[in-house]
Amino acid sequence: MRILLVEDNQDLADWLGRLLRKDNYVVDHVGDGETADDVLKTEDYALVLLDLALPGIGGIEVLKRLRARKSSVPVIVLTANDALTSRIGGLDAGADDYVVKPFDASELAARVRAQLRRTGAGRQTAVTVGRLTLDTGSRSFLVDDQPLALTPREHALLEALILRAGRPVRKEALVSAVFGLDDDAGPNAIEVHAHRLRKKLEGSGIAIVTVRGLGYVLRAENA
């Protein structure tokens, strides 16, 4: 899953990025409101972490513009202002949750998981295809209840495929799910990670099938 982090404090952004990537999220970081607004017009994210005190356009205005475009992406506001009026302002503008700095890493991780559970496939506790299961709570993959060791990009690719199991997923959509804005990657990079995933799934009864002109589809081999 892909997350946009909007935070002008570089040290905090670096820390948050490491925290989120450790949990196998793909993280894009921008440091000002104007860039955040532009990115949110063109890119798809599972969740946004949004600081309120940003250079240029403030976080509240970014949020208002996002909701004016009818986007329902979950937004967790990050702010150093614990005043009641500030919290109400963020929620009224369309925030889904509100975290006051400084915060504990485990609390933020739990709030991210809670928001993702409320949307899409996150409402399910598990997604299963044949002998392969994605535990949506821990975001871990299991084959016959045994953990499947994956790199972060392999995890992101397999997650994108299992959430659309049985349906072809275009390479362009997979590139967006696996790589961030700063990554120099194209459709050929997906082929590399798909090849590695196939190796790790050997003997599991799970196939990643290339559909010419359409992309890839994940399915159980006996389906």
Side-chain angles (χ1 to χ4, degrees), residues 111-186:
R111 288 177 180 267
V112 167
R113 291 193 300 270
Q115 288 302 320
L116 292 174
R117 280 197 300 270
R118 295 173 186 170
T119 60
R123 297 191 186 105
Q124 302 171 248
T125 58
V127 180
T128 299
V129 176
R131 293 157 55 194
L132 176 69
T133 297
L134 168 63
D135 182 322
T136 59
S138 63
R139 300 189 63 250
S140 58
F141 281 99
L142 308 169
V143 174
D144 294 335
D145 296 324
Q146 296 301 310
L148 182 63
L150 301 171
T151 67
R153 284 178 176 166
E154 290 167 353
H155 187 286
L157 176 56
L158 189 54
E159 185 175 48
L161 289 170
I162 198 171
L163 292 177
R164 300 167 182 82
R167 294 172 288 164
V169 185
R170 292 190 176 277
K171 286 184 180 180
E172 294 81 4
L174 294 173
V175 169
S176 179
V178 173
F179 297 100
L181 290 172
D182 296 329
D183 294 321
D184 183 14

Side-chain angles (χ1 to χ4, degrees), residues 14-183:
D14 290 343
W15 176 72
L16 285 171
R18 290 192 299 270
L19 170 70
L20 294 165
R21 293 184 183 100
K22 183 179 177 182
D23 286 341
N24 291 309
Y25 297 108
V26 176
V27 182
D28 287 337
H29 168 241
V30 297
D32 65 88
E34 190 76 49
T35 303
D37 186 48
D38 288 341
V39 168
L40 286 167
K41 291 175 183 176
T42 59
E43 301 293 325
D44 292 324
Y45 293 98
L47 182 137
V48 178
L49 292 172
L50 178 64
D51 185 28
L52 291 188
L54 296 170
I57 300 173
I60 290 292
E61 181 61 24
V62 172
L63 183 53
K64 287 180 178 179
R65 294 184 184 186
L66 178 68
R67 296 307 187 214
R69 294 192 293 270
K70 308 300 181 185
S71 172
S72 60
V73 60
V75 176
I76 299 178
V77 163
L78 309 176
T79 181
N81 189 346
D82 191 26
L84 178 60
T85 54
S86 178
R87 294 200 303 272
I88 292 173
L91 294 170
D92 282 347
D96 297 276
D97 199 358
Y98 203 100
V99 180
V100 177
K101 304 172 186 176
F103 47 78
D104 182 77
S106 59
E107 178 189 3
L108 180 65
R111 288 177 180 267
V112 167
R113 291 193 300 270
Q115 288 302 320
L116 292 174
R117 280 197 300 270
R118 295 173 186 170
T119 60
R123 297 191 186 105
Q124 302 171 248
T125 58
V127 180
T128 299
V129 176
R131 293 157 55 194
L132 176 69
T133 297
L134 168 63
D135 182 322
T136 59
S138 63
R139 300 189 63 250
S140 58
F141 281 99
L142 308 169
V143 174
D144 294 335
D145 296 324
Q146 296 301 310
L148 182 63
L150 301 171
T151 67
R153 284 178 176 166
E154 290 167 353
H155 187 286
L157 176 56
L158 189 54
E159 185 175 48
L161 289 170
I162 198 171
L163 292 177
R164 300 167 182 82
R167 294 172 288 164
V169 185
R170 292 190 176 277
K171 286 184 180 180
E172 294 81 4
L174 294 173
V175 169
S176 179
V178 173
F179 297 100
L181 290 172
D182 296 329
D183 294 321

